[in-house]
Amino acid sequence: MNTNYEISEEVFDYLVVVNPDALVAKDVTRIRQFVATELSDTMMSAAPVHVALFRSAFPERFQDDFVDMLEEVARKQAGFAIYTAKIDALRHADGHNSVFINVANPKPLIDLHRSIMQTFELKPQTFKPHIMLARGLQDAEVNMIMPLLAQQIFVRSFNCHCFSLLKRPASGGKYERVKDFVFGDIEHMVGSLFNYAAA
């Protein structure tokens, strides 16, 4: 049922992400700058560095419920390490291409994505965790940069112990951080003393 109130309400684009540590983010930005220079596109290197987990658009009045549900996911989640690997490209159905860094051990992120989907009672989707380098590229641009990038193995790792909720107006603009959600399952944290408590 659409009332005038609902029609006039501003909708926000919400994004749940995992942020790499500062060192990895810096290295990713350096590769983005290289790609941006090669393609003469300076906007590319300015985007935040993250692994996107979940995205949804809705009016702000639902934000508190959304936050509560994400807190529930984080409370049950244990920390894990993320390892990156090679740089890859993907051609989308619309004919544009993305270039990204693969995650070498995708299972923990796939499991976290599944937990979020289940919490919101959504059907599981195919999810391939990655760190975006460039999107919306033409075939010619990909053919130009991939031979330069494919030689590079981007082997890095970082510990994941939280995820963040970002938002921006659905009409566009810059994402702003709403909240960080620290994982609460300390007992199963890798390297935790609790792992040995029952031994």
Side-chain angles (χ1 to χ4, degrees), residues 18-164:
V18 165
N19 296 298
D21 63 33
L23 209 62
V24 173
K26 196 171 155 186
D27 289 345
V28 171
T29 301
R30 212 167 45 236
I31 295 176
R32 282 185 177 170
Q33 285 165 346
F34 168 76
V35 172
T37 304
E38 290 294 314
L39 301 178
S40 307
D41 182 354
T42 51
M43 294 299 292
M44 206 176 287
S45 53
V49 176
H50 55 236
V51 178
L53 282 172
F54 180 79
R55 191 174 178 187
S56 188
F58 49 85
E60 197 170 27
R61 66 193 159 100
F62 296 115
Q63 180 176 302
D64 287 348
D65 292 338
F66 192 61
V67 165
D68 288 346
M69 291 170 92
L70 288 174
E71 291 208 311
E72 186 62 22
V73 172
R75 195 174 58 78
K76 297 175 185 170
Q77 179 67 43
F80 52 87
I82 295 173
Y83 299 90
T84 60
K86 64 189 180 81
I87 297 169
D88 228 332
L90 177 71
R91 193 170 202 272
H92 300 282
D94 66 1
H96 287 104
N97 299 274
S98 293
V99 175
F100 53 88
I101 297 166
N102 272 306
V103 172
N105 63 325
K107 192 177 182 312
L109 285 165
I110 290 170
D111 291 345
L112 177 54
H113 174 259
R114 190 182 298 120
S115 296
I116 293 170
M117 297 296 279
Q118 284 170 348
T119 299
F120 293 110
E121 297 177 0
L122 297 167
K123 279 199 306 204
Q125 298 172 330
T126 304
F127 174 64
K128 187 180 164 88
H130 60 272
I131 299 173
M132 188 64 69
L133 289 174
R135 55 159 56 97
L137 301 183
Q138 303 298 325
D139 290 347
E141 293 176 307
V142 172
N143 293 339
M144 187 175 113
I145 60 164
M146 276 314 286
L148 304 170
L149 294 175
Q151 308 306 317
Q152 298 186 39
I153 304 292
F154 190 80
V155 179
R156 304 285 188 283
S157 68
F158 59 94
N159 290 317
C160 178
H161 51 79
C162 70
F163 55 74
S164 303

Side-chain angles (χ1 to χ4, degrees), residues 163-183:
F163 55 74
S164 303
L165 176 62
L166 313 176
K167 81 170 182 186
R168 69 178 179 187
S171 54
K174 201 174 175 184
Y175 278 109
E176 289 178 11
R177 190 179 303 259
V178 176
K179 189 173 167 62
D180 293 326
F181 299 83
V182 178
F183 298 161

